DNA sequence: CTGAAAGCGCTTACAG
DNA sequence: CTGAAAGCGCTTACAG
């Protein structure tokens, strides 16, 4: 039914080996190559990638396993990964785990069945800590969250430093009762929490924190309840873009003036943080760099399987906006943001 | 090196055919099935999907070709598509075309080489109009943008109606000099423009429109220039979430009060539209429904190849917010949105 | 440079 | 229910 390399060979009057060579960059005389190309054009032949993969044992495929592509951080990272991958002639299989370890296990298994060349993986803490890369049969580059086992390549943000940076920014602006909101399934949340606690302790302050499921809805519910309590904080930091979004919605619904009644800051420079009034102070992650770096690291690993594992740690960039204006200067400076 | 069905057969003391049957739901006696399962567990065997695809001629793979996964509309649609696909045992290959017809052609070709079961495709106008689904060799479900040729299944928004709805809402609110911003590569832009023009004409008004490349940056530049002109509109509608985002940034940068100096409305209920002050009036698209419906339509088509093509047209929902408050009531009603 | 042949790891009639 | 055999569409030593 669909034409195969055999049909092309017959049409061109050559062997299938010659067609195969002409398709790649094998040694073929110009005369035969021309014949093959004519036969391909005439027949509308398209190589069958399943056959090629089976025979060559190179799938030219990688897996990209993230928690949810709708999280703008992963959206951006995915796009960067795919751009680099396609340019290197590799296909990407995208999987959403919803931070569910069962789904993570299922997709890792699928990756084995696909015989992928490698996987870029934003794992939950539980999975990252127990990951046995050697048993998997393909190299893994962890992104966003590191594993306890240092056996994998990884591209990470300096999460402790970034969280501390946010705290220091708020402290410098005069806020003291600073609360933290963190995801409860990723090691990212744990690290950012650690940075938060350290910075608060250095200032001799308590570090009230809440941990929630990694969704805007869960964050909104949690923050709404928190703001209604007697000891509601005067500033809040949220550990990722989804949580920050939920927090912003709760703050808005509660009618709290920002930053007069509650200062707000968090992770991920998602487009909306620039458009609220006031804008929201954030740590911007180099999302394109993270995706590109992860894919390049994986390609490098495929070239040199024995190379010792590397961790690339990238710095976040503080984007100060109106939501964290210095307490004293609020009336003087207005809400023009930063 | 990696264990194959042959190793499992040897280990279990059965034929490869029996292993293959035990893997699927073929007829195998309980005794042999138990032996096979033990051998699989012992050997850590994983079926090779490339081999299975080649032999069975069923790839269980679909293509999802969109312009840019970073557009929240496509992000949401992709996630819905993937959920349905994985549940149906199918893999998804995601491709970003950046509305570039060359990339579209390249990816369609790749889909042929992958021997995909079918493709869900948000095509540019140029490609949608010239698409020859029969020649492709797999069924196509168009999303977001219809082709001139009615030979494909499609899941669409009633774009003309939705655009007209936005215009009627602004007219009812007392705005007259309404400008429209549209994408210049998609048929969606063209249809929404048509709905915009029709509704303005019914009101006896001119319909000033600008067409831009489908990115927030292009929209921002265009709107910034427009707002600086003498005949700047008093209300603006933007044809998709990216353009609306760019428009909102330009409006903010120009320091125009919304809606007093410029009312704003557009497509896609992206999270930020709820968080600006005032909130932005939008047409919400049923993104989950679109993705799910498209995937289900494709599965249906695979079951019944000869069924006549269907178009599913979904309605948008107007979400009225403060950015389009009635002109007269602005002072009375404040900016509480709607 | 070229062709004949083996084989990647499966599934699926075909016999029994 | 079970096995031996053919073959999906390629690539790649092996000879020449």
């Amino acid at each position: 039914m669909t034409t195969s390399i055999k049909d092309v060979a017959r049409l061109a009057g050559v062997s299938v080996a010659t067609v195969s060579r002409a398709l790649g960059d094998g040694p073929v005389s110009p005369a035969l190559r021309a014949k093959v190309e004519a036969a391909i054009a005439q027949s509308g032949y398209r190589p069958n990638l399943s056959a090629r993969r089976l025979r060559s044992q190179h799938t030219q495929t990688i897996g990209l396993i993230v928690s949810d592509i709708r999280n703008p951080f992963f959206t951006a990272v995915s796009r960067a990964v795919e751009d680099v991958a396609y340019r290197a002639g590799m296909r990407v299989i995208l999987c959403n785990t919803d931070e569910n370890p069962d789904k993570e296990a299922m997709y890792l298994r699928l990756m084995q069945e696909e015989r992928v060349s490698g996987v870029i993986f934003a794992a939950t803490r539980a999975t990252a800590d127990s990951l046995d890369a050697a048993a998997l049969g393909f190299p893994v580059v962890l992104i966003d969250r590191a594993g306890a086992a240092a056996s994998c390549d990884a591209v990470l943000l300096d999460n402790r430093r970034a969280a501390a940076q946010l705290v220091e920014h708020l402290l410098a602006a005069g806020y003291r009762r600073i609360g933290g909101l963190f995801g409860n399934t990723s090691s990212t949340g744990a690290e950012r929490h650690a940075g938060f606690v350290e910075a608060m302790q250095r200032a001799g302050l308590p570090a009230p924190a809440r941990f929630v499921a990694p969704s805007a809805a869960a964050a909104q519910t949690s923050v709404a309840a928190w703001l209604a309590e007697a000891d509601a904080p005067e500033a809040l930091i949220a550990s990722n873009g989804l949580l920050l979004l939920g927090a912003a919605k709760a703050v808005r619904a509660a009618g709290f003036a920002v930053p007069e009644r509650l200062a707000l800051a968090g992770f991920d420079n998602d487009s909306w943080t620039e458009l609220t009034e006031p804008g929201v102070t954030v740590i911007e992650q180099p999302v394109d760099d993270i995706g590109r770096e992860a894919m390049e690291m994986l390609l490098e690993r495929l070239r040199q399987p024995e190379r010792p594992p590397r961790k690339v740690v990238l710095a976040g960039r503080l984007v100060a906006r109106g939501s964290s204006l210095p307490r004293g200067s609020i009336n003087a400076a207005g809400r023009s943001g930063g």
Side-chain angles (χ1 to χ4, degrees), chain A:
Chain A
M1 52 165 289
T2 119
T3 84
S4 82
I5 202 173
K6 226 164 155 180
D7 305 307
V8 175
R10 197 178 306 128
L11 213 62
V14 301
S15 71
V16 296
T18 294
V19 176
S20 177
R21 290 190 191 104
L23 246 29
D25 51 355
V28 182
S29 70
L32 289 198
R33 187 179 290 274
K35 279 195 199 175
V36 169
E37 277 163 8
I40 287 174
Q42 186 189 332
S43 61
Y45 167 75
R46 294 277 182 278
N48 182 320
L49 294 184
S50 292
R52 182 175 286 176
R53 289 186 182 118
L54 171 60
R55 175 57 233 232
S56 71
Q57 302 284 57
H58 295 132
T59 57
Q60 304 284 75
T61 301
I62 69 142
L64 175 59
I65 307 180
V66 302
S67 58
D68 189 349
I69 184 72
R70 287 172 298 193
N71 180 333
F73 171 77
F74 289 120
T75 313
V77 169
S78 297
R79 181 63 214 264
V81 166
E82 291 185 348
D83 283 350
V84 178
Y86 277 106
R87 222 167 297 135
M90 310 206 76
R91 240 66 67 220
V92 178
I93 301 178
L94 177 68
C95 306
N96 296 283
T97 66
D98 297 314
E99 312 251 355
N100 176 343
D102 292 337
K103 284 195 191 180
E104 291 182 320
M106 183 194 88
Y107 283 126
L108 285 174
R109 191 184 168 118
L110 175 63
M111 295 303 109
Q112 295 182 308
E113 301 190 350
E114 292 279 1
R115 303 291 193 269
V116 294
S117 306
V119 162
I120 296 176
F121 189 12
T124 59
R125 189 171 10 160
T127 298
D129 285 347
S130 64
L131 199 66
D132 183 357
L136 244 26
F138 48 74
V140 172
V141 175
L142 290 172
I143 54 170
D144 191 40
R145 306 106 185 258
S151 63
C152 286
D153 293 316
V155 182
L156 305 163
L157 193 77
D158 188 343
N159 285 312
R160 293 169 98 98
R161 183 75 213 96
Q165 215 175 334
L166 276 181
V167 171
E168 288 157 10
H169 169 79
L170 288 170
L171 289 172
Y175 301 93
R176 288 296 172 271
R177 298 216 320 284
I178 305 173
L181 189 68
F182 303 92
N184 62 6
T185 50
S186 69
S187 61
T188 309
E191 286 173 22
R192 292 177 187 173
H193 175 247
F196 166 69
V197 170
E198 281 167 16
M200 292 298 277
Q201 282 180 342
R202 270 197 299 273
L205 294 169
R210 311 236 160 152
F211 294 83
V212 298
S215 75
Q220 186 171 354
T221 304
S222 171
V223 171
W226 201 352
L227 294 185
E229 293 173 18
D231 66 337
E234 58 190 26
L236 191 64
I237 72 175
S239 172
N240 68 46
L242 250 29
L243 303 187
L244 185 58
L245 178 63
K249 287 188 178 180
V251 170
R252 173 105 189 238
F256 276 34
V258 176
E260 293 83 352
R261 178 95 180 262
L262 183 79
L264 197 60
F267 279 77
D268 296 333
N269 192 16
D270 296 343
S271 58
W272 66 268
T273 60
E274 175 185 356
L275 284 166
T276 53
E277 181 58 43
V280 179
T281 295
V282 292
I283 293 285
E284 178 181 66
Q285 299 198 61
V287 286
D288 288 335
D289 291 341
I290 291 172
R292 196 180 327 116
E293 186 69 46
M295 188 63 218
E296 282 168 359
M297 220 160 164
L298 184 52
L299 292 170
E300 195 58 39
R301 165 69 52 207
L302 295 173
R303 268 181 242 116
Q304 304 182 41
E306 301 310 327
R307 197 175 63 148
R310 283 196 314 167
K311 299 220 183 302
V312 171
V313 178
L314 301 168
R317 186 174 72 91
L318 180 74
V319 181
R321 298 199 177 102
S323 71
S324 63
L325 276 190
R327 296 201 81 171
S329 73
I330 289 175
N331 292 329
R335 289 166 142 198
S336 63

